[in-house]
Amino acid sequence: MESSLTSIFIADGFGVVLVAVLLAGNRWLLRSRTIENRALLAMVILTMVCCAIDPFLFAIDGINNSALRILAIAGDSWLYVSNLLCAFLWLFFLTKYACGGISKGHLNFLLAVVGLGLVGIVVNLFYPFIFSISEENLYHRYGGYWIYTSVDYLITLDSIVVYLWKKSKNGVLRIFPIGVYLFPLMIGTFAQTMFYGVSTIAASLAISMAGVLTTLQNDLIFKDGLTGLFNRIYLDHHLKSVAQGRDSVINALMLNMKGLKVINERFGHAIGDEALKNLAKVLQKSMGDVGVPLRYSGDEFIVLLKTQNIAEMNSCIQAIEICLEKFNTKSNAPYELAVAIGSAQQDLRVYGVDGFINTIHTKMRENKGKVS
């Protein structure tokens, strides 16, 4: 028993140190304001807390003390909550980062599942069906444990299905090696589930998070440093991938921010940079999970659409115009945001990547000439 407890302390302690070191080496995550990176940061924090709590719970297991029993109930309840939240946050991060997000209905369903899971944890405090802590401060597992474990697995499986389905439809905008997260966690979860008294989930989650953070560090080359959007390097990578795929037809918008030079001259380049970041936020908000904006050059943006329907493409243009109008109405900025938009649908296998870019750029310039 003593050697087993020592092993648990070493494994979980290693998990805390591992995640802390990686987080220190990835300080961009702390500064990032994108919603997917905030979800990832929440996972990192949950992982560190779990690795800290887990060995403590094993250390006090069986010590007959009322105060420790309360701490054990609270700690074990937290671990169930944390595992459920991490499963959801992983799905949210993966689909947002790689696919641009999931539908509102899908997201609301998952939130409802998580909400019910949290309610179940509260119910368990009064009517144990997941686990209980005896008067002797001993942990006992019930049938509800398998329900929660199954839900965690199903949410994770859901993320894989969405990712692979969108990838097959050329809807994935960033290839992510999902195995770096899934394999360590699945092995750790399986071991702790099958061998009662073994603690491997928290440590394996730390290893999974280390894999994710390392992968994202390598992916910074594809991100625009100012706006946080994907950049031209990634655009070329994605278009070449689509051109070689099963469905090589693509719809996209190209936008030129009007008046950036004037903003820079009147208010300074810091305000000009702020205007570019605000335009990036407007594009992200207006597109939702229908399209993903990229920064193509200084004042030019491209939105890759996940639809080949011309009517839906026109609706995306209208959504951008509405969001721009709302920004200009409600913002206290000393400037107004305005864009010229060009749209195109082409078969990349026929016209090539350069031909597609030239076409959409020409249409954007024509639109700019009409509205200037």
Side-chain angles (χ1 to χ4, degrees):
M1 177 64 182
E2 184 176 347
S3 60
S4 176
L5 186 59
T6 300
S7 299
I8 291 172
F9 267 91
I10 292 174
D12 286 324
F14 174 78
V16 171
V17 173
L18 176 63
V19 176
V21 169
L22 284 166
L23 190 57
N26 291 269
R27 289 190 293 270
W28 59 268
L29 185 61
L30 297 172
R31 299 190 298 266
S32 176
R33 294 174 182 251
T34 63
I35 191 168
E36 65 267 29
N37 284 345
R38 287 181 176 178
L40 187 63
L41 179 60
M43 288 182 66
V44 171
I45 294 172
L46 288 173
T47 299
M48 293 183 69
V49 174
C50 286
C51 286
I53 290 178
D54 195 47
F56 171 75
L57 295 176
F58 274 88
I60 66 174
D61 189 50
I63 299 178
N64 193 348
N65 180 284
S66 58
L68 292 179
R69 180 173 178 270
I70 293 174
L71 290 176
I73 293 173
D76 282 307
S77 297
W78 167 256
L79 292 181
Y80 278 94
V81 170
S82 182
N83 290 338
L84 183 61
L85 291 178
C86 280
F88 170 76
L89 289 169
W90 161 253
L91 182 146
F92 184 85
F93 161 77
L94 178 65
T95 55
K96 187 69 176 177
Y97 177 78
C99 317
I102 55 178
S103 68
K104 190 173 182 179
H106 192 168
L107 179 61
N108 288 337
F109 173 76
L110 290 171
L111 288 173
V113 171
V114 172
L116 287 174
L118 298 180
V119 170
I121 297 296
V122 175
V123 171
N124 184 77
L125 298 176
F126 304 96
Y127 305 98
F129 71 100
I130 307 170
F131 75 92
S132 68
I133 304 296
S134 68
E135 294 297 329
E136 294 76 24
N137 201 20
L138 291 171
Y139 175 88
H140 296 281
R141 179 193 293 175
Y142 299 129
Y145 167 85
W146 298 101
I147 296 176
Y148 274 77
T149 301
S150 298
V151 170
D152 292 341
Y153 272 115
L154 288 173
I155 292 176
T156 304
L157 178 62
D158 187 19
S159 71
I160 301 172
V161 171
V162 172
Y163 175 83
L164 294 178
W165 181 77
K166 292 201 174 189
K167 181 180 178 182
S168 69
K169 299 292 184 180
N170 286 325
V172 168
L173 294 170
R174 182 74 190 99
I175 303 301
F176 190 88
I178 56 179
V180 300
Y181 175 83
L182 295 176
F183 290 149
L185 182 59
M186 290 300 179
I187 293 173
T189 303
F190 178 79
Q192 185 163 326
T193 300
M194 299 306 297
F195 301 100
Y196 191 80
V198 172
S199 176
T200 53
I201 292 180
S204 63
L205 183 57
I207 296 173
S208 295
M209 294 309 304
V212 171
L213 290 175
T214 302
T215 298
L216 292 179
Q217 181 68 35
N218 294 333
D219 279 359
L220 290 178
I221 189 174
F222 292 110
K223 288 294 186 75
D224 175 56
L226 178 65
T227 63
L229 301 179
F230 286 118
N231 58 20
R232 188 168 180 172
I233 297 175
Y234 174 72
L235 175 67
D236 292 339
H237 170 81
H238 179 72
L239 292 181
K240 288 176 182 177
S241 177
V242 173
Q244 298 170 1
R246 184 174 57 185
D247 186 358
S248 56
V249 176
I250 189 169
N251 278 23
L253 309 175
M254 187 172 218
L255 305 92
N256 174 254
M257 177 179 170
K258 295 190 291 182
L260 178 60
K261 182 178 179 181
V262 174
I263 294 174
N264 285 332
E265 291 175 348
R266 291 185 61 186
F267 307 109
H269 286 273
I271 300 299
D273 288 346
E274 177 190 289
L276 287 168
K277 289 189 283 188
N278 282 328
L279 178 55
K281 292 176 183 177
V282 166
L283 294 178
Q284 288 177 311
K285 183 177 180 180
S286 59
M287 288 299 96
D289 62 351
V290 180
V292 174
L294 308 93
R295 189 181 182 195
Y296 183 69
S297 64
D299 59 356
E300 292 180 338
F301 296 79
I302 285 180
V303 178
L304 300 174
L305 301 176
K306 302 175 188 177
T307 176
Q308 296 180 3
N309 186 296
I310 300 299
E312 291 181 1
M313 181 164 63
N314 292 331
S315 296
C316 289
I317 295 175
Q318 292 177 1
I320 293 173
E321 292 172 343
I322 291 172
C323 282
L324 284 172
E325 185 177 350
K326 287 182 179 179
F327 174 86
N328 291 330
T329 301
K330 297 180 180 180
S331 172
N332 294 322
Y335 54 82
E336 289 191 352
L337 294 179
V339 297
I341 305 177
S343 61
Q345 179 187 74
Q346 283 191 339
D347 189 332
L348 295 179
R349 195 174 290 127
V350 175
Y351 293 93
V353 172
D354 292 338
F356 173 72
I357 294 296
N358 290 337
T359 297
I360 197 171
H361 190 269
T362 298
K363 292 189 176 184
M364 183 269 294
R365 298 285 295 179
E366 291 174 352
N367 178 268
K368 184 176 181 180
K370 290 178 184 179
V371 298
S372 294

